[in-house]
Amino acid sequence: MHFAVLQFPASNCDQDCVHAVRMLGHTAELVWHKDTSLGAASAVIIPGGFSYGDYLRCGAIARFSPVMQAVQRFAADGGMVLGICNGFQILCEAGLLPGALIRNRDLQFHCEQVFLQTANRATPFTRSIPEGRPLRIPIAHGEGCYFADDATLDRLQANRQILWQYCDQTGRLTDGSNPNGSVRNIAGIANEGFTVAGLMPHPDRASEALLGSSDGRWIFESMVAALAEGSKGGGVAAAQSLGAAELQSR
Amino acid sequence: MKAKIVITPKKAVLDPQGKTVQNALEHLGYQGVAGVHVGKYIEIDLQPGTDPAAARKALDEACHRFLSNPVIEDYRLEIAD
């Protein structure tokens, strides 16, 4: 599989994402924000950082960059897109994911390990995550408080689009384990078709034991497995075939 | 001619900055503060001779599409001399 990792002025996790993909034995290349093509990418990763200095709002300027117009077309065709941290903020600003990310409730920048409960394991972004154990993955953000109105949240919940929620190390969703005040402890979500997902924590910074945790690797492995399964039809086919498999297994 | 744009967090959105400023005002002894909302102010200089109605229409679109995020923010746009 071949991943396109976007690179904006002030992206700072672009190389980490490339490294995480290559460690899985797949290829990744950086795509500059002024490029209008994603090349032969099977999937896109929008990495963390502070694109365009976070000016105006995080992701507000990046969403209008030439490369994001290519991502819009890629996503409209059912291509798989993962946004991490600033990448999640960009996807929300671009309207590819619902809601917005606002200042952490305590106004502090949080750089720490958190635990994540995987709320839906039947998606192309979560299918390889083992059941029953929270993921230990770091966050590093000042504006990671997920917000959406109640109608949107109810829709996300009903469609099982909430993929990850902040929890304590035993997997309980507590207020104390919510580092930024996100509504319903939301750390990451997907679009309705489960082809676009975003999360504030950094799986790229938890993808090998040397980094203190390799739990993030399961997210990249999930994407690779889904792509392999739906390699002819892209992410939508992968999502749909996975949904069918999930139904059969019940 | 200038466009003056005030962007504020929506009432339903958590505004920790506003709350912190409110607490500080109370701490400093300023009485009667019922709420504080911290937003942004953007001033745009328009070229001389710009048609105010056309500028308002274009900037209203810019506010909705780019300068504010309607999910979390409200805006007020004023065209002034």
Side-chain angles (χ1 to χ4, degrees), chain A:
Chain A
M1 298 303 158
H2 184 64
F3 285 72
V5 177
L6 307 192
Q7 192 178 44
F8 296 96
S11 289
N12 65 6
C13 297
D14 41 340
Q15 300 291 352
D16 306 56
C17 289
V18 166
H19 179 70
V21 168
R22 287 183 181 160
M23 275 201 319
L24 295 180
H26 295 271
T27 55
E29 71 180 319
L30 295 170
V31 180
W32 185 235
H33 69 119
K34 288 185 175 168
D35 287 348
T36 53
S37 165
L38 297 166
S42 341
V44 175
I45 298 175
I46 311 181
F50 301 84
S51 59
Y52 298 93
D54 276 352
Y55 294 157
L56 192 61
R57 293 179 308 280
C58 307
I61 297 176
R63 72 160 282 206
F64 290 109
S65 62
V67 77
M68 280 305 294
Q69 310 319 303
V71 171
Q72 288 276 5
R73 290 191 298 274
F74 184 80
D77 289 340
M80 192 187 287
V81 182
L82 176 70
I84 299 167
C85 197
N86 188 219
F88 185 18
Q89 295 165 336
I90 294 170
L91 287 171
C92 287
E93 281 283 341
L96 286 167
L97 290 173
L101 293 141
I102 60 174
R103 282 286 282 277
N104 294 348
R105 65 179 159 189
D106 63 1
L107 301 171
Q108 306 278 316
F109 187 98
H110 281 254
C111 186
E112 64 204 30
Q113 295 282 346
V114 297
F115 289 95
L116 301 179
Q117 177 75 265
T118 305
N120 182 355
R121 289 177 51 253
T123 80
F125 300 94
T126 55
R127 55 186 281 169
S128 301
I129 298 172
E131 194 172 2
R133 182 162 96 60
L135 305 179
R136 185 166 172 269
I137 294 185
I139 54 166
H141 61 245
E143 279 149 316
C145 174
Y146 182 77
F147 174 83
D149 60 36
D150 285 336
T152 305
L153 290 170
D154 290 344
R155 202 171 62 243
L156 286 175
Q157 203 134 22
N159 295 341
R160 303 195 66 202
Q161 287 169 252
I162 300 169
L163 301 191
W164 298 282
Q165 288 167 291
Y166 299 108
C167 64
D168 66 15
Q169 55 184 326
T170 65
R172 283 179 308 169
L173 306 181
T174 60
D175 191 55
S177 55
N178 183 344
N180 51 33
S182 291
V183 288
R184 302 190 192 184
N185 279 41
I186 289 173
I189 57 168
N191 65 347
E192 271 183 44
F194 295 100
T195 54
V196 177
L199 76 168
M200 288 312 296
H202 280 274
D204 48 314
R205 295 190 190 177
S207 54
E208 54 192 316
L210 187 66
L211 298 175
S213 169
S214 55
D215 291 357
R217 200 178 156 119
W218 284 315
I219 295 173
F220 299 111
E221 283 177 354
S222 297
M223 293 175 74
V224 166
L227 286 166
E229 196 172 280
S231 57
K232 291 183 185 66
V236 170
Q240 285 166 351
S241 66
L242 183 68
E246 178 71 11
L247 283 174
Q248 278 166 9
S249 71
R250 279 178 187 160

Side-chain angles (χ1 to χ4, degrees), chain A residues 56-57 60-61 63-64 93 99-107 145 147 181, chain B residues 7 10 12-17 20 40 42 65-69 71-73:
Chain A
L56 192 61
R57 293 179 308 280
I61 297 176
R63 72 160 282 206
F64 290 109
E93 281 283 341
L101 293 141
I102 60 174
R103 282 286 282 277
N104 294 348
R105 65 179 159 189
D106 63 1
L107 301 171
C145 174
F147 174 83
Chain B
I7 298 165
K10 277 188 192 295
V13 177
L14 194 69
D15 179 14
Q17 207 177 173
T20 305
K40 293 188 188 99
I42 300 174
R65 190 172 161 225
F66 171 53
L67 296 174
S68 79
N69 180 344
V71 176
I72 48 172
E73 295 167 330

